[in-house]
């Protein structure tokens, strides 16, 4: 089995991704702002960033879409 190496994000980029998450969380309904939803949104942000998306607005949009209905 082969695995793809994880992308390496420097501390500054991780801090930026954290800000993206904070912005995205503010845009979903209060009742969905649970740790599970935030984790799901963070995973979405990291997955898209690892896939090459660097635009903060796009990352926020993807995260908001992922968290709009809360975590399952």
């Amino acid at each position: 089995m082969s695995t793809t190496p994880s992308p390496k994000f420097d501390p500054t980029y991780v801090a930026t991704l954290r800000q993206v998450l904070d912005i995205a969380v503010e845009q979903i309904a209060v009742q969905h702002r649970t740790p599970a939803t935030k984790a799901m949104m963070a995973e979405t942000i990291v997955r898209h960033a690892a896939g090459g998306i660097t635009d903060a607005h796009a990352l926020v949009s993807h995260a908001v879409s992922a968290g709009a209905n809360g975590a399952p």
Side-chain angles (χ1 to χ4, degrees):
M1 171 185 347
S2 76
T3 59
T4 305
S6 297
K8 305 238 190 273
F9 297 138
D10 67 44
T12 302
Y13 193 56
V14 171
T16 299
L17 295 179
R18 175 61 192 204
Q19 289 177 327
V20 166
L21 176 61
D22 291 343
I23 292 166
V25 167
E26 290 294 319
Q27 295 182 30
I28 64 170
V30 173
Q31 68 267 24
H32 295 309
R33 295 179 190 175
T34 64
T37 301
K38 290 178 186 179
M40 183 174 64
M41 293 170 75
E43 180 183 352
T44 299
I45 290 167
V46 171
R47 189 171 11 93
H48 282 88
I53 295 176
T54 58
D55 179 70
H57 295 289
L59 292 172
V60 167
S61 178
H62 286 296
V64 170
S65 293
N69 295 316

